[in-house]
Amino acid sequence: MRDVEKVIEGLKQETIREITKKDARPEAQLAWYWTYIGSLDMAQQLGLINDARRQELYREVDRFKPKYKVQAAQEAKPNHLAAVEMGAEGNYNQIDGIINNEAPKPSLRDTLRQYQEEAGKQDTQPPGKHPEQGR
């Protein structure tokens, strides 16, 4: 158990050092804080520390918790359908709240009309002078 406490103390000191760096980006500070908290959670889940010790360790670093907040996520209007779509979408170029939507396909009538037009153009060629011939 003493070795676990040494490791946790080392993690805590490194976390505090990285969070309090003068040139540290706010995103990095937040990442360091939550990585440490996650490490404590994992240690508790593995039975290396008990819940009371985990809560005590939380409180020890709470004053170093960065005040950084993600602006875009807080200001954006939540779109629950788009969130679900991001998890299930097969077509990431259209995140719009409609799962697996694609560009509309032409109707059978339009397809038939297109083939008829193409066939009509081919019939206007003089006999024996099809584009495939003469190569």
Side-chain angles (χ1 to χ4, degrees):
M1 200 66 158
R2 288 176 140 190
D3 291 337
V4 171
E5 288 295 328
K6 283 183 180 180
V7 170
I8 290 173
E9 184 61 29
L11 288 171
K12 181 173 74 173
Q13 293 306 318
E14 184 176 16
T15 299
I16 292 170
R17 184 178 59 249
E18 293 298 322
I19 289 174
T20 58
K21 273 186 178 177
K22 290 182 181 181
D23 61 341
R25 292 189 351 249
E27 299 90 349
Q29 292 172 321
L30 196 62
W32 273 101
Y33 175 81
W34 286 112
T35 299
Y36 175 73
I37 295 298
S39 299
L40 297 178
D41 292 345
M42 181 62 73
Q44 190 262 329
Q45 290 173 2
L46 293 172
L48 301 173
I49 59 174
N50 61 29
D51 190 54
R53 180 66 177 136
R54 180 177 61 120
Q55 294 296 327
E56 182 183 328
L57 291 164
Y58 278 1
R59 286 188 294 277
E60 288 177 11
V61 295
D62 192 51
R63 65 188 173 109
F64 297 102
K65 183 177 181 181
K67 303 295 186 241
Y68 179 76
K69 56 184 175 183
V70 180
Q71 294 293 329
Q74 290 180 346
E75 293 173 3
K77 189 175 180 181
N79 182 345
H80 305 295
L81 293 175
V84 170
E85 183 180 10
M86 285 182 209
E89 183 66 58
N91 185 1
Y92 260 118
N93 65 352
Q94 291 185 12
I95 302 297
D96 54 8
I98 303 169
I99 294 176
N100 285 334
N101 59 324
E102 295 177 359
K105 296 178 181 173
S107 70
L108 289 176
R109 182 173 287 159
D110 292 338
T111 304
L112 178 61
R113 200 172 285 135
Q114 180 183 356
Y115 285 137
Q116 287 173 337
E117 288 173 7
E118 288 174 7
K121 288 178 185 175
Q122 288 178 356
D123 287 344
T124 59
Q125 296 290 332
K129 295 287 185 178
H130 288 286
E132 292 86 21
Q133 293 179 344
R135 288 186 187 175

